[in-house]
Amino acid sequence: MFCRLCRLHKPPHTKGPRQRSFIEAGYTVYRKDVIQHHLKSKLHQYSVGKQASLASGLSVVQAFEPNIAMEHEAIIGGFKCLYWLMKNEISHHNNYPKLLSLVQLLGCSYFAKLKLDQRSNYHSHRIVDEMLEILAKIVESSIMEKMRASAAISLKVDETTDVSVIRQFDLHVRLLDKNGLVYTHFLDLVPLDNGKADTVVAAIKHVIQEKGLPTNKLYGLGTDGAAVMTGRLNGVAKQLTDDIPWLVDVACTAHRLALACKGASETVKYMATFRDHLQDLHLFFRNSANRSAALRNAATTLGLSDLKVKEVKDTRWLSPEMAIQNLRRNLPVVLSALADEATTRKCPIAKGLYTFCATYRFVAALYLQADVLPHICLLSKVFQKANVIFLHIKTQVPATLATIRSFWETGEAPLPGTHLPRLHADLDDPVGLGPFNICHEEERVRRGRYLQDPPRDVLWARFVKEVLKSYLSGLESNLKNRFPDFELLGAFVVLSPRAAMADEDTNIENLDILEEAHPQGGKKTLKRSGTPSNPTSQELSRTTVKLRSCRCWQASLLGKLSAAGLVIPVSSVSCERDFSTMNRKQAAPVLDGPIVLLTRSS
């Protein structure tokens, strides 16, 4: 039970509980004496006086106060509804009026104040876009405050072409909060006339000047590793480091890992063909409803569900591992569907795919990749985390290399727990691959001649020699080439707990490298033989002052180096996720920045 008059005029609170009966909280006792007590209360008398003053027209301002309050509350509610739509990546132009109608239907009657007349109702696309820009500015202002208070910052940059075929440049800032935690925030989205290095550098400098980024705190630059970004003579990183000498540029580790895997497949001719046929399998079933139905029928016969041949794409870093694992589990179903298409429909594409896939070498290569790719995928997931730092490269990459080396060194005796040890058993499984009689190494018929079927031990020895060792050695070589032990980045290990286990000379050498790279570094390092053998009192005093000043300076330098080490970016994954958001929203190019900012903000 509420008092409509008191809720309208909101009497000022003087004492007692904040939730007052009949005003903020409904009264549950339905008695006449309770109502009479409220009518005689000072709060109700205040509301009666306010209403009387409105009726007598004593004050124009007081007469408009209730309407102004209701309109203000309605506008705030409209902003909240729009923010909810953006956070959930729902189309705002079409769904914003519908959401307002829903909340009015649920009892929020003050939203009716947004409809001033037949034409002015805060529902038009122009008003919604203006509200969107206002929300983006509010979110951006908090990010700017955190950035200016951070001890060190770095930038992540990447460029893309949106659905409107407009080239845009995405920037993220990586910073430290007051508790020393690392955060990555969207900074800006800038349209570009072209993708040349000079144009990109001009765009970055414009954003730095417009947003007021402190260049003396800018320590890192993360890129996707493209030639225009990392060019040795005139790349974006080269031009920026000429202006900011202490800037450390890092190519995205996730991109480098994907390129290393692709390079390893290209070093072995069969693995490159194997990769192409995986994509052909996906396209064969995706482009035909009848073939997909045949695949589902075969899966139903074998008691499987949700079967789908997944796509392999270099731009989707986790897709090769998912496609390999899916195909390994469902290879009998895929072979059965291909055989059915080749025999009943006389499809030459199905016959060619079946001839390639129903071979010993294909199944062995499939099992090999099913053993190796999970470790690569795990490494990629580590690099894609938001709080990862470059010290993870020095620990995770060597661990992955050691695992790959263990596959290589075992050779003919695969490690237990992997898929390769089950290869021959799966080939003889009567409910699996056994009915397909996979006993030949490659295509059985070539140029009209039949190939002999050697024993399996001979097939395995050939596979180890021609595919397994070549592929694993190529993968190891590509990982080493893509992740060299950078001198500057490796020197930051002196700030980690592992430095306690290293020798003193190594730690001093790493500190010297960091000191020279820092803008305030130089010749201030305190030497070990800085104290005279027989000092006088004046010499002792001067030495003490030097010691104190050097220690204060070194402590300040170590703090700045620690902050710089934390914010130097490892990958540009956050920029890639912005591009995915832009593709899902498909808004006007001028609104891409505010939309990404609101959608990706925490």
Side-chain angles (χ1 to χ4, degrees):
M1 187 166 52
F2 293 90
C3 177
R4 183 178 298 178
L5 202 59
C6 292
R7 286 176 62 86
L8 177 62
H9 295 287
K10 298 288 184 183
H13 183 274
T14 54
K15 60 180 180 179
R18 302 296 301 179
Q19 297 292 326
R20 297 170 294 181
S21 301
F22 293 96
I23 304 176
E24 286 86 5
Y27 208 78
T28 57
V29 180
Y30 296 89
R31 294 205 317 247
K32 185 177 180 180
D33 58 333
V34 174
I35 299 176
Q36 290 177 350
H37 181 271
H38 173 71
L39 293 177
K40 298 177 182 179
S41 64
K42 294 182 178 179
L43 299 177
H44 187 75
Q45 295 300 324
Y46 174 86
S47 301
V48 171
K50 281 285 186 179
Q51 186 67 23
S53 64
L54 290 177
S56 61
L58 297 178
S59 172
V60 177
V61 176
Q62 291 178 353
F64 278 98
E65 275 184 357
N67 287 331
I68 294 175
M70 294 291 286
E71 291 177 1
H72 181 71
E73 192 171 358
I75 292 174
I76 292 177
F79 274 105
K80 291 180 179 179
C81 291
L82 181 60
Y83 183 74
W84 182 86
L85 289 174
M86 301 311 304
K87 291 298 293 182
N88 290 275
E89 297 186 9
I90 301 174
S91 176
H92 55 287
H93 280 164
N94 296 328
N95 293 292
Y96 178 70
K98 298 177 183 178
L99 183 58
L100 293 184
S101 300
L102 174 63
V103 294
Q104 288 187 58
L105 184 63
L106 294 176
C108 299
S109 57
Y110 56 83
F111 277 103
K113 293 292 183 180
L114 292 177
K115 189 174 181 180
L116 303 181
D117 52 47
Q118 189 66 25
R119 300 182 60 183
S120 303
N121 52 14
Y122 287 92
H123 290 177
S124 67
H125 290 184
R126 182 179 61 84
I127 292 296
V128 173
D129 292 343
E130 290 180 1
M131 294 171 64
L132 185 64
E133 293 177 357
I134 293 172
L135 285 174
K137 290 180 180 179
I138 294 174
V139 175
E140 183 184 19
S141 62
S142 63
I143 296 175
M144 293 297 103
E145 292 178 2
K146 295 177 183 178
M147 182 193 65
R148 296 184 183 97
S150 176
I153 61 174
S154 63
L155 291 178
K156 295 182 181 182
V157 296
D158 201 357
E159 62 94 15
T160 186
T161 302
D162 63 6
V163 293
S164 303
V165 200
I166 296 178
R167 189 185 300 273
Q168 301 208 52
F169 193 66
D170 190 23
L171 292 95
H172 277 239
V173 61
R174 188 174 168 94
L175 51 86
L176 289 171
D177 68 351
K178 59 182 180 180
N179 297 321
L181 300 178
V182 181
Y183 289 94
T184 301
H185 296 286
F186 172 81
L187 188 60
D188 204 352
L189 196 63
V190 183
L192 297 177
D193 296 331
N194 55 67
K196 297 181 180 179
D198 295 338
T199 306
V200 175
V201 171
I204 294 177
K205 291 182 177 180
H206 174 73
V207 172
I208 291 176
Q209 183 178 4
E210 182 183 14
K211 304 291 183 181
L213 271 68
T215 54
N216 60 324
K217 297 181 181 180
L218 185 58
Y219 290 100
L221 176 68
T223 66
D224 59 353
V228 69
M229 297 290 182
T230 59
R232 182 170 53 89
L233 299 178
N234 196 37
V236 173
K238 176 63 170 59
Q239 295 187 42
L240 290 177
T241 51
D242 288 343
D243 297 335
I244 309 175
W246 55 89
L247 189 69
V248 179
D249 63 289
V250 181
C252 176
T253 53
H255 282 86
R256 284 190 282 173
L257 185 60
L259 292 174
C261 295
K262 183 180 179 181
S265 298
E266 293 175 349
T267 56
V268 183
K269 183 178 179 181
Y270 182 82
M271 295 305 293
T273 307
F274 173 85
R275 186 185 183 91
D276 294 338
H277 277 73
L278 286 182
Q279 184 65 11
D280 293 339
L281 272 176
H282 167 75
L283 296 176
F284 178 79
F285 289 103
R286 190 195 69 175
N287 294 336
S288 173
N290 294 331
R291 296 167 185 169
S292 299
L295 188 64
R296 288 193 296 269
N297 293 334
T300 304
T301 303
L302 296 178
L304 301 176
S305 61
D306 298 331
L307 175 59
K308 184 178 180 181
V309 179
K310 296 186 178 295
E311 185 177 11
V312 179
K313 294 189 69 175
D314 295 328
T315 54
R316 296 177 181 174
W317 300 317
L318 305 181
S319 65
E321 196 266 342
M322 292 188 293
I324 289 292
Q325 297 295 348
N326 184 70
L327 183 59
R328 183 195 61 80
R329 291 191 300 267
N330 306 302
L331 184 59
V333 181
V334 175
L335 291 179
S336 177
L338 290 175
D340 182 66
E341 286 288 323
T343 54
T344 60
R345 300 179 184 272
K346 305 299 181 181
C347 178
I349 301 177
K351 183 178 181 180
L353 289 173
Y354 179 83
T355 305
F356 182 83
C357 296
T359 58
Y360 181 90
R361 181 164 290 190
F362 177 85
V363 180
L366 181 66
Y367 278 43
L368 169 64
Q369 293 234 313
D371 288 338
V372 174
L373 288 185
H375 301 281
I376 303 297
C377 183
L378 181 62
L379 185 61
S380 179
K381 289 180 179 178
V382 171
F383 291 156
Q384 292 181 45
K385 291 183 178 179
N387 58 347
V388 67
I389 59 176
F390 60 88
L391 289 179
H392 291 88
I393 302 177
K394 293 184 67 65
T395 57
Q396 298 295 330
V397 173
T400 305
L401 286 172
T403 303
I404 294 173
R405 199 175 297 112
S406 65
F407 285 112
W408 182 13
E409 293 171 353
T410 53
E412 299 180 3
L415 295 175
T418 55
H419 297 96
L420 277 176
R422 304 199 305 267
L423 174 61
H424 292 169
D426 289 348
L427 290 176
D428 296 330
D429 187 2
V431 297
L433 296 173
F436 298 98
N437 192 25
I438 299 176
C439 57
H440 45 285
E441 182 177 14
E442 294 186 89
E443 290 86 345
R444 178 179 290 273
V445 181
R446 180 175 295 174
R447 294 182 182 179
R449 293 177 297 176
Y450 285 86
L451 303 177
Q452 295 181 351
D453 296 331
R456 281 184 178 173
D457 55 347
V458 177
L459 297 179
W460 173 255
R462 289 179 182 172
F463 174 75
V464 171
K465 179 181 178 181
E466 299 177 8
V467 179
L468 187 144
K469 288 192 173 181
S470 300
Y471 173 71
L472 292 181
S473 63
L475 183 58
E476 183 179 9
S477 175
N478 274 274
L479 284 175
K480 288 182 178 179
N481 293 335
R482 294 287 178 180
F483 297 94
D485 189 12
F486 297 113
E487 182 182 24
L488 178 58
L489 292 179
F492 276 100
V493 75
V494 73
L495 303 176
S496 69
R498 286 182 296 156
M501 307 299 296
D503 58 279
E504 184 180 359
D505 293 336
T506 302
N507 291 335
I508 292 176
E509 181 181 356
N510 289 331
L511 279 176
D512 290 340
I513 294 173
L514 295 178
E515 180 182 338
E516 292 296 329
H518 192 270
Q520 297 178 358
K523 304 294 185 179
K524 295 184 179 180
T525 306
L526 186 64
K527 296 182 179 180
R528 297 179 183 177
S529 58
T531 305
S533 57
N534 297 313
T536 63
S537 59
Q538 293 181 351
E539 290 174 341
L540 279 174
S541 177
R542 287 195 297 268
T543 303
T544 303
V545 172
K546 289 182 180 179
L547 281 171
R548 289 176 179 174
S549 62
C550 286
R551 286 173 181 171
C552 293
W553 175 82
Q554 287 179 335
S556 175
L557 178 62
L558 286 176
K560 293 179 180 179
L561 291 176
S562 301
L566 289 173
V567 301
I568 291 178
V570 172
S571 68
S572 60
V573 176
S574 56
C575 297
E576 299 290 340
R577 290 173 180 151
D578 287 351
F579 302 152
S580 300
T581 301
M582 292 165 55
N583 291 333
R584 289 193 300 269
K585 293 293 293 184
Q586 296 186 0
V590 70
L591 294 175
D592 281 338
I595 288 175
V596 173
L597 176 60
L598 293 174
T599 304
R600 307 272 291 123
S601 63
S602 57

